[in-house]
Amino acid sequence: VTVLVADYVEEASGYRIGLFTIGIIGVPLLLATIAMVILFGSKLIPTRTPAKALRDFGTHGDTLATHYGVDESHATLMARGSGVGEFIIPPRSSFIGDTVHRGMVTESGELVVAAMHHKGQDVREELTLSAGDSLLLQGPWAALDNAAKDPNIMAVDSPETVRRQAVPLGVGAKRAIGILLGMVVLLATGLVPAPVAGIAAAIAMIVLGVLTVDEAYRGISWTTVILVGGMMSLSTAMVASGAAEMLAEGLVNLIGDAGPYALLAGLFLITAVLGQLISNTATALIVIPVGLSAAAQLDVSPIPVLLSVAVFAAGALLTPVATPANLMVMEAAGYRFGDYWKLGLPLLLIYGAVGIFLVPLFWPF
């Protein structure tokens, strides 16, 4: 949201918002949010039992080594470049009837059979596979991921999920950190526009082998891309059609001579309502043209108005659909739709107060 607002601010006023400039109001907001959660979170956040418990794979290597009788430690089994995965032979698998043994290389040539179980018992000799047998396969993480996609063998746990927890600094971690720092430098110095810096960092991730093209595609939230793209078109259409100006006139007439602070209060109410029903980014794109038109009619600077809209949109915390982070934790914590407003409402009011009163102190009307 802040990046979008920064572009509109520069287009409307010529004022360029630096990467850390917004920290003047961001730091107080962060501290206030932390204080609110620490002091009142336990009272306002209900305790729920999630329908599906999350697995902890931090010591998964030791667990598998003990279960299969493998004389290797977690650090040996779970390395940055390779790991182990537990697989089960399902019914009607083409592997049924094949003979395997410890140390055997699979057909792909990338994985090794580290251990075998038949009816829950460790097998040290050759094993003729039957439905329900389990294998401990060892090799590169990419090969384990490919094995998990094979319908003739079933992964007990996703190798990618295991790798993320068992090997915190995985393959390409240092390169990824370097690319991130490079992008931050480009954004902070303003050497290139923000979109160029972001695209360059994404390309570098692929060129330097941190991600494959397929992994990059899977990592993109296409719903968000389409939503933001559509809202940007809607925002432009609101300006071109005069809808933004008409809404701004209604807001200005409503507040009368109350001044720019009343304008911010009105924009806060609009943003607060819309932001709980659609994404906060989409909300900002709808409210921005209205704020620009209203600022022009009141003959005040658009800078504090747009920055306040960014703050208001960031306070969309009353529902799980208001912001992606809310939705991400919903299933993991077992939250219900109505659980969010209890903590979200006081936080929203804090964000509103910061946007209405604090932003104009640093960027006057």
Side-chain angles (χ1 to χ4, degrees):
V1 174
T2 307
V3 174
L4 288 172
V5 169
D7 289 339
Y8 278 97
V9 167
E10 187 171 6
E11 182 180 346
S13 64
Y15 175 73
R16 181 177 178 81
I17 298 177
L19 180 63
F20 301 107
T21 304
I22 200 72
I24 299 174
I25 54 176
V27 170
L29 272 176
L30 175 62
L31 295 177
T33 301
I34 293 174
M36 177 64 69
V37 172
I38 292 176
L39 295 175
F40 304 104
S42 60
K43 299 180 179 65
L44 299 176
I45 300 175
T47 301
R48 303 291 187 193
T49 301
K52 182 173 65 175
L54 297 179
R55 295 279 305 279
D56 180 6
F57 296 107
T59 58
H60 196 55
D62 290 334
T63 301
L64 292 178
T66 301
H67 183 68
Y68 282 93
V70 178
D71 298 327
E72 294 185 59
S73 66
H74 173 83
T76 304
L77 291 176
M78 301 292 186
R80 291 187 183 182
S82 62
V84 292
E86 188 177 15
F87 295 84
I88 294 177
I89 304 300
R92 296 176 295 280
S93 169
S94 62
F95 295 140
I96 293 176
D98 289 354
T99 301
V100 296
H101 58 83
R102 289 197 176 202
M104 173 181 172
V105 179
T106 62
E107 292 180 355
S108 67
E110 296 181 297
L111 297 175
V112 175
V113 178
M116 306 163 294
H117 269 188
H118 176 68
K119 294 184 178 180
Q121 299 298 317
D122 188 24
V123 178
R124 294 280 175 173
E125 307 298 331
E126 288 189 342
L127 172 65
T128 300
L129 294 176
S130 59
D133 289 345
S134 59
L135 302 176
L136 188 66
L137 301 182
Q138 185 172 17
W141 289 109
L144 291 171
D145 284 333
N146 290 333
K149 300 173 185 175
D150 190 334
N152 292 301
I153 192 168
M154 184 172 61
V156 177
D157 299 296
S158 166
E160 175 65 15
T161 303
V162 173
R163 183 190 67 79
R164 289 181 181 276
Q165 291 192 35
V167 190
L169 286 179
V171 180
K174 292 182 179 179
R175 280 169 284 169
I177 293 173
I179 293 171
L180 174 63
L181 292 176
M183 183 182 72
V184 170
V185 170
L186 291 177
L187 292 172
T189 57
L191 293 176
V192 296
V196 175
I199 293 174
I203 294 174
M205 286 284 191
I206 296 174
V207 172
L208 296 180
V210 178
L211 295 172
T212 65
V213 174
D214 289 339
E215 289 172 337
Y217 272 116
R218 289 199 301 269
I220 297 174
S221 175
W222 293 108
T223 301
T224 302
V225 172
I226 295 172
L227 176 64
V228 172
M231 289 299 102
M232 291 181 73
S233 300
L234 175 61
S235 181
T236 302
M238 288 179 64
V239 175
S241 65
E245 186 175 356
M246 181 181 68
L247 291 173
E249 286 180 357
L251 180 60
V252 171
N253 292 334
L254 182 64
I255 64 175
D257 298 328
Y261 285 98
L263 168 63
L264 294 183
L267 292 174
F268 167 66
L269 291 176
I270 296 173
T271 308
V273 173
L274 290 178
Q276 314 313 318
L277 306 176
I278 58 178
S279 80
N280 54 354
T281 302
T283 299
L285 287 169
I286 293 174
V287 178
I288 281 172
V290 178
L292 283 172
S293 296
Q297 293 182 34
L298 288 181
D299 194 25
V300 297
S301 171
I303 299 175
V305 175
L306 294 184
L307 290 178
S308 293
V309 169
V311 174
F312 300 153
L317 302 168
L318 270 63
T319 66
V321 298
T323 187
N326 285 6
L327 198 58
M328 289 172 62
V329 302
M330 186 175 185
E331 181 180 4
Y335 290 148
R336 301 169 186 170
F337 192 93
D339 289 340
Y340 288 83
W341 71 269
K342 299 172 185 177
L343 178 62
L345 182 58
L347 288 175
L348 176 62
L349 295 176
I350 291 174
Y351 278 65
V354 169
I356 295 172
F357 301 108
L358 187 59
V359 169
L361 290 180
F362 296 105
W363 293 276
F365 294 108

